[in-house]
Amino acid sequence: MSEHSIRTAADRLFEALGSGTPCDPVRELLPDGDLAAAYAVQETNTRRGLARGRALSGRKIGLTSKAVQAQLGVGQPDYGMLFADMAVPDGVEIARDRLIQPKAEAEVAFVLGRDLDGEHVTAADVIRAVDCVLPAIEIVDSRVAGWNIRILDTIADNASSGLYVLGNEPKPLAGLDLRLCGMVMEMGGEPVSTGAGLACLGHPLNAVLWLAQTMARVGRPLKAGDTVLSGALGPMVPVAWGSVVEARVEGLGSVRAAFARE
């Protein structure tokens, strides 16, 4: 891969993010199947954001469904950065100019109380590091026009991140059955997505473990205070502007994302 290709792809996505006008896919700018090149594009724009005063608040995990992995021709999840300005309080209305073509999915969010920065992070380390667990709605978005994406596009585009909303009642990890917890997401009071914890790599903690190991390896380890969105519990759905999306996760309560009409 060339630095010119990385920069050109990063510029295209960064301009789309700033203008709110979606762009062409970036996959044709990168070597076919080169995930490292796509992550280099993501890292370029992460550094740009940090240089402009944005602050990291955590990470998101994508492609935790085996069916979606097969659809995109990959055998593992992907990751993206969460910035503090992406966090929206529960139920607070989201302006239309903050998003381009949003979709919503319900997830389990983990807030860490300890660093996970070692090379050999284990499941026990992850369990000890979790401070609390919350229901979350991730509002995914794509800077690529018409969601015409493949794996290189979504990785380069910060794993198609948009905004995220956390519930307001944190729960301790102890006593929760996150593998079998059921989820129902409604839009305008009508069910639009259902699922359970096992849809997320078999267990949401499996996804967090994968992320912790990966982040330590690439030099952006998870730290105390970070929020981790562990991946969708059910299918994502397009957002209808003017609606309220509510997700209920068994054992965790509910969370709401409100979308402005105008």
Side-chain angles (χ1 to χ4, degrees):
M1 62 182 174
S2 72
E3 288 298 322
H4 176 73
S5 297
I6 300 301
R7 176 63 63 173
T8 301
D11 288 347
R12 182 180 294 183
L13 292 167
F14 196 76
E15 289 167 8
L17 176 64
S19 68
T21 301
C23 63
D24 291 333
V26 298
R27 58 185 178 268
E28 76 274 8
L29 300 173
L30 305 173
D32 187 40
D34 193 339
L35 302 188
Y39 278 118
V41 174
Q42 181 188 130
E43 177 66 14
T44 297
N45 283 337
T46 296
R47 291 179 180 178
R48 279 176 164 168
L50 295 172
R52 286 161 173 76
R54 301 182 79 187
L56 289 176
S57 59
R59 311 286 187 277
K60 62 154 286 183
I61 311 167
L63 305 181
T64 52
S65 161
K66 294 297 184 182
V68 176
Q69 288 180 14
Q71 185 180 9
L72 291 182
V74 295
Q76 64 180 21
D78 67 355
Y79 64 82
M81 303 295 128
L82 295 181
F83 290 92
D85 56 17
M86 294 166 56
V88 178
D90 188 346
V92 171
E93 190 172 82
I94 298 166
R96 294 189 68 149
D97 61 5
R98 296 200 67 185
L99 299 160
I100 299 175
Q101 43 194 347
K103 300 182 180 184
E105 57 188 31
E107 307 194 9
V108 175
F110 297 82
V111 178
L112 301 182
R114 300 185 186 184
D115 295 352
L116 286 171
D117 53 2
E119 284 188 36
H120 305 291
V121 176
T122 67
D125 295 325
V126 171
I127 291 169
R128 284 195 298 269
V130 173
D131 182 67
C132 64
V133 187
L134 297 155
I137 294 173
E138 183 185 357
I139 304 159
V140 292
D141 200 7
S142 180
R143 271 53 67 176
V144 177
W147 278 92
N148 177 18
I149 62 171
R150 301 292 184 270
I151 184 62
L152 297 187
D153 300 296
T154 187
I155 288 175
D157 192 21
N158 198 26
S160 300
S161 63
L163 305 171
Y164 67 98
V165 187
L166 302 180
N168 285 326
E169 297 184 17
K171 308 290 186 184
L173 184 59
L176 294 175
D177 185 352
L178 295 181
R179 188 179 79 87
L180 295 180
C181 67
M183 178 279 295
V184 176
M185 187 167 70
E186 298 178 346
M187 184 160 53
E190 296 295 325
V192 292
S193 180
T194 60
L198 55 80
C200 181
L201 290 186
H203 195 298
L205 279 172
N206 294 342
V208 180
L209 175 59
W210 173 86
L211 180 72
Q213 293 171 338
T214 302
M215 290 293 93
R217 189 165 59 248
V218 302
R220 286 201 179 277
L222 298 175
K223 297 292 186 180
D226 280 347
T227 296
V228 174
L229 299 183
S230 60
L233 302 181
M236 68 179 179
V237 297
V239 166
W241 288 102
S243 68
V244 174
V245 175
E246 181 171 2
R248 294 189 298 276
V249 181
E250 184 180 359
L252 296 182
S254 62
V255 58
R256 288 149 297 280
F259 297 87
R261 186 173 302 277
E262 300 296 336

